Amino acid sequence: MVKEKITSNQAIAIITAFLFGSSVIFGVSTEAKQDSWIALILAMFLSLPIIIMYARIIKLYPDMGLYDIVHQLFGKIIGNIIVVLMTWYAIHLCAMVLRNFSEYIKITTLFKTPEILIIIVLLLVSIYIVKSGMTIFGSWALIILPIIVLMVVFTIIFSLNIIDIKNFLPIMETKLKGMALATYKIISYPLTETVLFLPLAGFLKKKDSPYKIYITAIIFGCLIFFFVMFRNLTVLGSTLIMETYFPSFAATRIIELGNFFTRIEGAVTINFLFAGIAKITVCLIAASLGISKLLSITNYKKIVVPTGLLILALSTIIYTNIIEMMDFIEIYYIYAFPFEIIIPLIIWITAEIKHKQNKVTLKQKT
Amino acid sequence: MNLTIVLVLYFLIIIFDFLPLLKKDNKKVISFYIGTSLLTLIILVLYSFDIVIPSPVKPIEDIINNIF
């Protein structure tokens, strides 16, 4: 049982900021080109059953994180296998986000700064947040979320003079197969990456509804993604978006009000910085909780630094260049499927069966 | 440059995080700490000397590409 607790608003802010993570800068999948907004709406609705499944797992076992739940459901051996898999996913995702961030900074701003320094600085901030405690993280997320949203809104307002609504045309040109793939890619990255919030579920208050937390965060996140997509599509057009690594950066770069208000792309970098730190922190906590569960260590904060070092080492060797990074992002939706859908599905079905069995046993006793 | 950054990082970690932990904590935490730190230090030093270490992502990529 975890002593630190966060409010439902803090949890919503954490999940929303986590969703923005790298997606604010990479944008969500533009596989469906000008119809990507339809894919986004479809993804939002189609991801809801999966999100409700995550919430149901928390609801069935309140006051417990995912790792405690799997240990209770499957015992020590199978439980530990699931913990290892989910911990690996958390470490890998964290390393990926860190590398995304360092590549972005290196390409757009700090050309000569060693990448490892950018990764270390970002990781140290996250380690400091984790060590400060979950409540501090929740409060921090509540503060940064309005800043991220305001930045997005401002960039849209400032780009009004250069947007071209014709970039949305022709509507419904994408074939069904392409639309389905684009929708699934958005579901997989980033909507169901929120599975990594499950290990942190023990920090939620018992009275707070996990359904409300998860669904609000997903809907709010998708709304902001819609605005980001609207800005990128109308400013750049689908062809140019497909050609660039960082569409949000490219879209805001050409914003110019008169001759004095320029270089607004810094706002996108600030967004990425905040949202990136939130995503890295969630992954770091999930990974630390997993390792502490495996080693039966009661306080996960004691192993945050070595876990961070593991992530740092992985992020430096994970890709040799940005092309490799983009290649992996292309197959990421297949790689993430077991972690985001299959494992939670197995946990949920087992949890429902055990919950019903417990109810029957209780009734028989009374 | 990279090597200096790595060594400074490890020096700071030992001073501010590891030594306070050493005084009061159990063997499990310390063993994990030392093991992980040594492993990652080796990887990061090799990285600093531009020695290519095989990425764990490559086998994952190969498996996925073979299946799909």
Side-chain angles (χ1 to χ4, degrees):
Chain A
M1 195 147 126
V2 188
K3 277 179 187 172
E4 285 177 278
K5 291 289 170 191
I6 52 169
T7 63
S8 58
N9 283 344
Q10 287 174 336
I12 292 168
I14 290 170
I15 298 176
T16 315
F18 174 89
L19 274 176
F20 293 155
S22 9
S23 313
V24 170
I25 189 72
F26 285 115
V28 284
S29 170
T30 45
E31 190 93 7
K33 294 181 182 171
Q34 71 273 15
D35 293 329
S36 297
W37 61 277
I38 303 172
L40 178 64
I41 294 169
L42 283 173
M44 186 180 82
F45 286 110
L46 292 175
S47 69
L48 283 179
I50 304 166
I51 298 303
I52 289 169
M53 175 176 78
Y54 296 164
R56 178 70 182 158
I57 294 171
I58 303 173
K59 188 76 184 170
L60 286 173
Y61 290 89
D63 259 356
M64 286 171 93
L66 182 75
Y67 305 134
D68 296 319
I69 296 172
V70 292
H71 264 240
Q72 191 161 327
L73 286 176
F74 302 100
K76 216 171 179 186
I77 299 167
I78 300 173
N80 275 349
I81 294 169
I82 296 174
V83 175
V84 167
L85 288 171
M86 292 309 288
T87 307
W88 160 254
Y89 181 57
I91 290 174
H92 187 195
L93 187 63
C94 195
M96 277 172 66
V97 177
L98 275 168
R99 194 56 190 270
N100 292 348
F101 191 88
S102 69
E103 291 287 348
Y104 169 76
I105 293 287
K106 195 184 173 189
I107 289 172
T108 58
T109 344
L110 306 170
F111 318 106
K112 287 181 181 173
T113 307
E115 262 189 276
I116 195 167
L117 189 63
I118 301 166
I119 296 173
I120 288 171
V121 169
L122 199 67
L123 201 55
L124 285 179
V125 176
S126 286
I127 288 172
Y128 181 74
I129 294 175
V130 179
K131 287 228 167 207
S132 302
M134 199 60 195
T135 321
I136 302 290
F137 179 39
S139 309
W140 177 81
L142 268 181
I143 295 168
I144 58 128
L145 192 64
I147 300 172
I148 296 173
V149 175
L150 277 177
M151 293 280 189
V152 172
V153 173
F154 278 135
T155 53
I156 292 169
I157 293 169
F158 293 144
S159 63
L160 283 177
N161 60 338
I162 49 168
I163 63 169
D164 186 1
I165 297 292
K166 281 181 197 155
N167 282 333
F168 276 118
L169 301 175
I171 293 174
M172 295 293 283
E173 194 195 34
T174 315
K175 287 185 180 147
L176 194 66
K177 195 184 169 191
M179 185 65 82
L181 187 65
T183 306
Y184 175 63
K185 277 190 175 178
I186 299 173
I187 291 175
S188 154
Y189 170 80
L191 299 184
T192 49
E193 277 181 344
T194 49
V195 67
L196 281 182
F197 188 76
L198 288 181
L200 282 69
F203 295 110
L204 294 175
K205 286 176 185 165
K206 209 173 179 177
K207 63 179 175 63
D208 290 335
S209 162
Y211 298 105
K212 187 187 142 197
I213 292 168
Y214 253 114
I215 294 170
T216 314
I218 292 292
I219 292 174
F220 186 60
C222 283
L223 195 70
I224 301 300
F225 283 145
F226 189 81
F227 287 131
V228 171
M229 191 179 268
F230 172 84
R231 181 198 62 202
N232 294 354
L233 262 174
T234 50
V235 172
L236 295 176
S238 59
T239 318
L240 206 56
I241 287 181
M242 304 284 277
E243 292 301 316
T244 176
Y245 288 137
F246 311 115
S248 294
F249 179 78
T252 46
R253 201 174 188 183
I254 51 177
I255 294 172
E256 203 177 282
L257 277 183
N259 284 326
F260 66 97
F261 202 72
T262 56
R263 310 284 306 192
I264 300 177
E265 65 268 23
V268 174
T269 309
I270 293 169
N271 268 359
F272 190 33
L273 190 76
F274 284 147
I277 289 171
K279 194 165 183 173
I280 292 161
T281 309
V282 170
C283 293
L284 189 60
I285 297 172
S288 304
L289 283 170
I291 294 170
S292 61
K293 188 76 195 172
L294 288 169
L295 300 175
S296 307
I297 296 166
T298 44
N299 188 357
Y300 71 97
K301 287 181 192 171
K302 286 175 184 167
I303 53 155
V304 169
V305 175
T307 310
L309 288 175
L310 267 178
I311 291 165
L312 170 68
L314 184 63
S315 68
T316 53
I317 60 167
I318 195 166
Y319 317 112
T320 45
N321 52 45
I322 190 165
I323 298 162
E324 263 186 29
M325 185 175 96
M326 289 301 173
D327 283 348
F328 188 74
I329 289 174
E330 279 303 306
I331 57 161
Y332 174 77
Y333 67 99
I334 302 170
Y335 164 71
F337 185 75
F339 303 105
E340 292 175 349
I341 295 167
I342 295 177
I343 293 175
L345 191 67
I346 294 168
I347 295 169
W348 171 60
I349 292 169
T350 318
E352 287 287 0
I353 293 166
K354 292 241 168 158
H355 186 70
K356 273 191 184 163
Q357 281 174 349
N358 286 347
K359 257 187 178 177
V360 172
T361 324
L362 266 176
K363 265 187 186 174
Q364 281 172 347
K365 274 183 184 175
T366 50
Chain B
M1 184 66 173
N2 281 348
L3 187 64
T4 318
I5 294 167
V6 169
L7 293 178
V8 168
L9 173 75
Y10 274 83
F11 177 74
L12 292 176
I13 285 173
I14 289 168
I15 299 289
F16 292 108
D17 198 63
F18 183 65
L19 288 181
L21 209 69
L22 202 60
K23 286 173 193 165
K24 54 184 177 183
D25 245 301
N26 63 17
K27 278 181 185 171
K28 240 183 230 173
V29 176
I30 292 162
S31 317
F32 175 71
Y33 210 120
I34 295 171
T36 316
S37 303
L38 283 175
L39 176 77
T40 53
L41 180 66
I42 294 166
I43 294 172
L44 292 172
V45 168
L46 290 173
Y47 167 81
S48 307
F49 287 117
D50 285 331
I51 297 167
V52 180
I53 304 152
S55 164
V57 168
K58 276 275 162 214
I60 297 170
E61 256 183 37
D62 292 340
I63 292 167
I64 292 170
N65 287 330
N66 280 335
I67 297 171
F68 297 94

